[in-house]
Amino acid sequence: MPAAFDIRFVFNRWVLGDDFCIKTLGISEDQLNHPEFGILQHLGFRESEIDAANDYVCGTMTIEDAPHLKRSDYDVFDCANKCGKKGKRYLSAESHVRMMAVAQPFISGSISKTINLPGQASVEDIKEVYHHSWQLGLKCNALYRDGSKLSQPLNTSAVDDTGEFDEELDEELLPAQPREVRIAEKVIHRYIAKRRKLPGRRKGYTQKATIGGHKLYLRTGEYEDGQLGEVFLDMHKEGAAFRSMMNCFAIAVSLGLQHGVPLEEYVEAFVFTRFEPNGMVQGNDAIKVSTSIIDYIFRELAITYLDRTDLAHIAPEDLRSSSLHSYGKQISPPEYHDEKVVSERTLTLEESQAYLAQTTDEEPAVGDVKTVQGSYNGNGLATENSDSDLSHHGMLSLLGDWNMEGRSRNELIREARTKGYEGENCGNCGQFTMVRNGACLKCVSCGHTSGCS
């Protein structure tokens, strides 16, 4: 009896024994097995009498209303929660925060102490605790609302001994629970039961890549707000079974996206999956290696639609063109894949003269351009001979590649340098197609050099 918290725990079948309860007290087996059966009630005691005996024998578990104790001294005995069924006093959340604020300046880390809140605490009460902790400079805090866990180790008499809820707790807590359940059902119904269809004409992009020698075409479809809504996958030179599996996988992902499944869930589930084919990735600026085709697909989608640059191998700032490689609005000529020169041959002087003689009836007039002919000093520098003019074959060959009429020598030099030449004209054919050949210059049109072999 002295160790019991409640007198009802003493008068039960496990303490008195089944034989004594059945034979002496006349209790049936069904009554003993009933969870709400009480031996004291069976013997004829009223609930008020049992409570009075319980308070007298086992105590009230609180000092409130104790004789010879002043109410002004109650603050010294307050606890984190209400004590017993009759207790009303407990430490407020503000007192917890102020106690930790006093000790925080003397502690390098945070304080491992829980701020206990009653079961009827609202969201605004919790916000106020966090705000007050921030004002007093706490590094962190831990809050617990009474009744938040179904299996909490300490229960502050949420349920009385007859299995019924307290009236005060019943009025304050129960009305909020059905409302929370209804809201959850509404959200689940919205995201699972309905499908958000894509418009008939939609935007997106197509990304081509080669993964371990296998070509993959990834096509996306977007909603009006730019959110991803569908995915198409096409593998190049793959078997019918593998291509069909990839198409079915793309359809399944697209249906999930249209039913509200977040793209983040797909990314977390499929990134870093490993199977063949895998390896180096060609054709993608940000991704260079992938562990599988599925890994590459969701890396690309995460980088494009979720801004997950942590999954990219090349940072976005590295992809931007620098000022050293920017040429204004000049558009470079298109590059053709695997372009090769089949054959290349330089015409001899006699062949050039014969061809030009057939296509040209008379020698056209040339502007104020003179060809520098004469001897060279072996370093690519010509010694000027003012008496020499453009030879007949030189002028005809020059007109084949250059528009000389009405243009100055400086203009021709600039045009030659933009095309990759040195800007010097050949002393043999007159073309401005001289390139560097060691310490000398060489003409790519006729093969003449400025002194070197």
Side-chain angles (χ1 to χ4, degrees):
M1 185 70 75
F5 287 96
D6 196 296
I7 196 174
R8 298 174 181 85
F9 298 156
V10 178
F11 294 92
N12 55 48
R13 62 185 298 184
W14 292 279
V15 176
L16 302 178
D18 291 346
D19 293 339
F20 179 80
C21 294
I22 296 175
K23 296 179 181 179
T24 304
L25 301 180
I27 304 173
S28 64
E29 186 70 25
D30 295 336
Q31 289 177 319
L32 289 176
N33 293 328
H34 197 280
E36 296 182 359
F37 176 75
I39 294 179
L40 294 178
Q41 289 89 342
H42 174 75
L43 296 177
F45 292 99
R46 295 190 300 270
E47 192 67 31
S48 59
E49 295 175 341
I50 298 175
D51 291 337
N54 184 63
D55 293 342
Y56 181 80
V57 176
C58 299
T60 61
M61 295 185 177
T62 181
I63 63 170
E64 299 180 35
D65 299 328
H68 314 296
L69 183 63
K70 299 178 181 179
R71 292 187 176 271
S72 59
D73 298 332
Y74 281 2
D75 296 340
V76 181
F77 303 96
D78 285 342
C79 300
N81 298 295
K82 296 179 181 179
C83 297
K85 295 189 297 182
K86 297 184 177 182
K88 303 295 182 182
R89 298 176 58 87
Y90 62 93
L91 291 174
S92 64
E94 182 180 359
S95 62
H96 288 275
V97 175
R98 290 187 177 275
M99 281 189 289
M100 290 189 290
V102 173
Q104 184 65 80
F106 305 98
I107 301 176
S108 60
S110 59
I111 301 175
S112 177
K113 182 192 180 307
T114 303
I115 301 175
N116 298 91
L117 296 171
Q120 59 269 21
S122 63
V123 177
E124 295 299 328
D125 296 334
I126 297 176
K127 288 182 179 179
E128 182 63 28
V129 173
Y130 276 110
H131 184 263
H132 195 45
S133 302
W134 168 73
Q135 287 180 325
L136 296 180
L138 293 182
K139 294 185 177 180
C140 76
N141 58 17
L143 278 73
Y144 182 73
R145 181 175 178 265
D146 186 29
S148 298
K149 292 183 179 180
L150 297 177
S151 59
Q152 64 182 32
L154 178 62
N155 196 340
T156 58
S157 67
V159 180
D160 62 9
D161 300 314
T162 60
E164 299 177 356
F165 283 93
D166 292 341
E167 295 182 357
E168 180 182 357
L169 191 62
D170 190 15
E171 295 175 357
E172 295 179 355
L173 290 183
L174 291 183
Q177 294 176 356
R179 183 165 59 253
E180 294 175 359
V181 173
R182 286 196 298 271
I183 294 175
E185 291 175 350
K186 181 179 181 181
V187 173
I188 293 173
H189 176 78
R190 175 182 177 186
Y191 282 97
I192 294 182
K194 288 188 178 181
R195 175 185 177 186
R196 181 187 178 191
K197 293 186 177 181
L198 285 161
R201 185 181 182 91
R202 64 207 66 165
K203 294 182 179 180
Y205 72 93
T206 301
Q207 176 68 51
K208 174 187 175 183
T210 304
I211 306 171
H214 297 259
K215 291 184 180 180
L216 171 67
Y217 294 87
L218 172 63
R219 171 68 186 174
T220 64
E222 302 174 358
Y223 291 100
E224 294 85 347
D225 56 359
Q227 184 179 354
L228 181 64
E230 66 179 359
V231 177
F232 291 99
L233 301 175
D234 188 14
M235 297 290 294
H236 182 64
K237 294 183 179 179
E238 298 295 337
F242 188 81
R243 295 183 66 179
S244 299
M245 287 293 295
M246 294 298 294
N247 290 334
C248 293
F249 176 76
I251 293 173
V253 173
S254 301
L255 289 175
L257 293 172
Q258 295 173 21
H259 280 83
V261 178
L263 179 59
E264 293 88 345
E265 297 295 331
Y266 286 113
V267 173
E268 295 298 329
F270 293 111
V271 170
F272 299 112
T273 54
R274 181 180 295 274
F275 58 86
E276 297 290 339
N278 55 19
M280 302 300 295
V281 177
Q282 299 177 355
N284 193 295
D285 295 333
I287 304 174
K288 298 303 179 184
V289 180
S290 67
T291 58
S292 64
I293 293 179
I294 303 300
D295 171 71
Y296 165 77
I297 292 171
F298 287 99
R299 279 180 184 267
E300 169 63 27
L301 296 177
I303 294 171
T304 304
Y305 291 98
L306 302 178
D307 198 22
R308 288 285 301 274
T309 56
D310 57 303
L311 298 176
H313 302 105
I314 306 298
E317 54 269 15
D318 297 335
L319 297 175
R320 302 189 186 100
S321 59
S322 62
S323 58
L324 297 177
H325 296 83
S326 60
Y327 301 97
K329 296 184 179 180
Q330 182 179 358
I331 300 176
S332 59
E335 297 181 1
Y336 296 94
H337 184 63
D338 295 336
E339 183 181 10
K340 297 181 180 179
V341 179
V342 178
S343 64
E344 181 178 356
R345 186 174 68 88
T346 303
L347 296 177
T348 62
L349 180 60
E350 292 76 9
E351 292 175 341
S352 299
Q353 291 178 352
Y355 175 76
L356 293 174
Q358 295 176 0
T359 57
T360 307
D361 295 336
E362 59 182 7
E363 180 180 332
V366 181
D368 301 333
V369 180
K370 298 178 65 178
T371 303
V372 179
Q373 294 182 344
S375 61
Y376 291 84
N377 57 9
N379 295 324
L381 301 177
T383 57
E384 185 176 356
N385 185 1
S386 58
D387 295 335
S388 63
D389 295 331
L390 286 175
S391 62
H392 178 75
H393 65 268
M395 288 189 296
L396 295 180
S397 178
L398 186 64
L399 291 174
D401 292 337
W402 304 88
N403 184 11
M404 305 285 294
E405 185 175 1
R407 302 180 64 188
S408 64
R409 178 182 176 83
N410 292 333
E411 292 178 353
L412 295 174
I413 291 175
R414 283 195 298 269
E415 182 179 349
R417 288 178 177 174
T418 57
K419 293 182 178 180
Y421 302 109
E422 292 293 326
E424 299 286 343
N425 63 320
C426 179
N428 184 40
C429 65
Q431 296 263 17
F432 283 80
T433 56
M434 302 292 288
V435 295
R436 180 64 58 183
N437 184 26
C440 305
L441 299 177
K442 176 183 176 181
C443 180
V444 298
S445 298
C446 65
H448 183 73
T449 63
S450 61
C452 302
S453 58

